């Protein structure tokens, strides 16, 4: 059986990471049996979650997990899509992963109220004398990553303007379809649903969440995906 390494339920979500959610949705779409293990961070091949272990082989990164499923199990995530639709789906997936994800990181870690409600809880297991130092070090590291990526150099209003364009575009692509590209989920639905589930988490306030909530079709899509694939919630 495939083992999916993730963080486990947090913040009322099946997993706090949109990429772990994406990987789990890919496994569900493909109908592959799997189990979840939350003890794999120290053994992660690229130092990040998610990754899967399949017959002794570790595959890190949600996109390479998709490629692995397609190659090993012959599952076509984009069955029924023509070349143009596949291109749109792939572009939408990378648009949300290269923009909305970094807004999520910015909102959870750089906004003090959101940090207190969310990431700060991860540090409870660290003894009090070291806890504050650990928080400062990790926040400083993430601030540096955000600055290198670019979002850390923008004002909150500028981040909201960028992500608002992404959200509007995503809503336009989805339209009134049940899934991103039609009546059945495609590979990009795993990425899009995972990201929307994570951003719409009610304990985090953000301009990106507000932008998504202005589009009834995106909220309804999140609700459908949760009901169908995560009926037990977080």
């Amino acid at each position: 059986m495939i083992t999916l390494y993730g963080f486990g339920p947090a913040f009322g979500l099946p997993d706090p990471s949109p990429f772990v959610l994406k990987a789990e949705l890919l496994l569900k779409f493909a109908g592959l049996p799997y189990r979840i293990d939350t003890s794999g961070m120290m053994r992660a091949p690229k130092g990040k979650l998610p990754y899967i272990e399949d017959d002794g082989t570790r595959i890190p990164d949600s996109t390479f997990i998709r490629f692995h499923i397609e190659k090993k199990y012959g599952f076509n995530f984009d069955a029924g899509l023509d070349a143009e639709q596949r291109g749109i789906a792939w572009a939408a997936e990378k648009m949300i992963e290269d923009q909305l994800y970094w807004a999520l990181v910015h909102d959870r870690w750089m906004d003090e109220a959101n940090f207190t409600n969310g990431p700060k809880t991860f540090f409870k297991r660290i003894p009090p004398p070291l806890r504050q130092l650990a928080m400062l070090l990790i926040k400083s590291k993430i601030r540096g990553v955000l600055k290198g990526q670019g979002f850390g150099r923008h004002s909150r209003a500028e981040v909201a303007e960028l992500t608002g364009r992404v959200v509007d575009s995503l809503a336009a692509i989805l339209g009134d379809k049940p899934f991103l590209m039609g009546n059945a989920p495609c590979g990009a639905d795993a990425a899009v649903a995972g990201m929307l589930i994570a951003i719409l988490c009610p304990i985090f306030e953000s301009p990106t969440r507000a932008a998504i909530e202005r589009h009834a079709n995106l909220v309804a899509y999140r609700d459908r995906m949760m009901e169908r694939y995560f009926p037990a919630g977080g």
Side-chain angles (χ1 to χ4, degrees):
M1 180 181 291
I2 294 172
T3 299
L4 169 63
Y5 291 91
F7 295 98
F11 315 148
L13 304 175
D15 196 282
S17 165
F19 294 108
V20 173
L21 293 172
K22 172 187 171 183
E24 186 168 3
L25 283 166
L26 289 168
L27 291 166
K28 289 176 180 288
F29 290 175
L32 296 173
Y34 67 94
R35 70 181 189 92
I36 295 176
D37 190 311
T38 61
S39 65
M41 185 64 183
M42 298 304 294
R43 303 187 303 276
K46 295 185 179 180
K48 299 177 70 176
L49 301 177
Y51 67 96
I52 64 170
E53 187 165 338
D54 188 9
D55 288 334
T57 301
R58 292 176 182 172
I59 299 93
D61 189 281
S62 60
T63 298
F64 287 105
I65 290 171
R66 171 182 173 169
F67 295 165
H68 172 79
I69 293 170
E70 290 174 331
K71 292 172 185 175
K72 180 171 180 177
Y73 297 97
F75 188 84
N76 185 355
F77 286 102
D78 290 343
L81 302 187
D82 61 27
E84 180 180 2
Q85 290 172 317
R86 288 172 185 246
I88 293 170
W90 184 257
E93 178 173 337
K94 295 309 153 188
M95 174 179 71
I96 64 107
E97 290 186 346
D98 291 342
Q99 291 279 290
L100 296 192
Y101 172 68
W102 294 108
L104 178 152
V105 173
H106 189 279
D107 291 330
R108 286 186 183 181
W109 286 85
M110 298 296 107
D111 180 282
E112 199 56 39
N114 285 338
F115 176 75
T116 299
N117 289 336
K120 188 175 182 179
T121 62
F122 295 146
F123 296 87
K124 287 182 177 179
R125 288 169 289 184
I126 300 176
L130 299 176
R131 189 179 303 156
Q132 190 64 29
L133 177 60
M135 285 192 293
L136 290 173
L137 288 173
I138 298 299
K139 286 185 76 172
S140 177
K141 181 179 179 179
I142 291 175
R143 187 176 291 107
V145 170
L146 285 165
K147 187 174 181 180
Q149 185 272 338
F151 267 31
R153 301 172 188 266
H154 302 323
S155 68
R156 192 171 178 84
E158 289 171 332
V159 170
E161 184 174 5
L162 289 172
T163 57
R165 293 288 187 99
V166 173
V167 170
D168 291 347
S169 298
L170 186 62
I173 293 170
L174 177 62
D176 60 1
K177 301 186 296 297
F179 298 99
L180 189 66
M181 301 307 299
N183 292 322
C186 66
D189 280 289
V192 172
M195 196 66 65
L196 293 184
I197 290 168
I199 293 174
L200 288 173
C201 177
I203 72 170
F204 299 115
E205 297 287 343
S206 73
T208 310
R209 175 186 161 195
I212 293 170
E213 289 176 337
R214 286 194 288 270
H215 292 280
N217 66 333
L218 294 180
V219 176
Y221 170 85
R222 185 279 310 265
D223 293 343
R224 283 195 302 277
M225 298 298 281
M226 282 293 295
E227 182 177 353
R228 181 166 180 170
Y229 296 105
F230 299 105

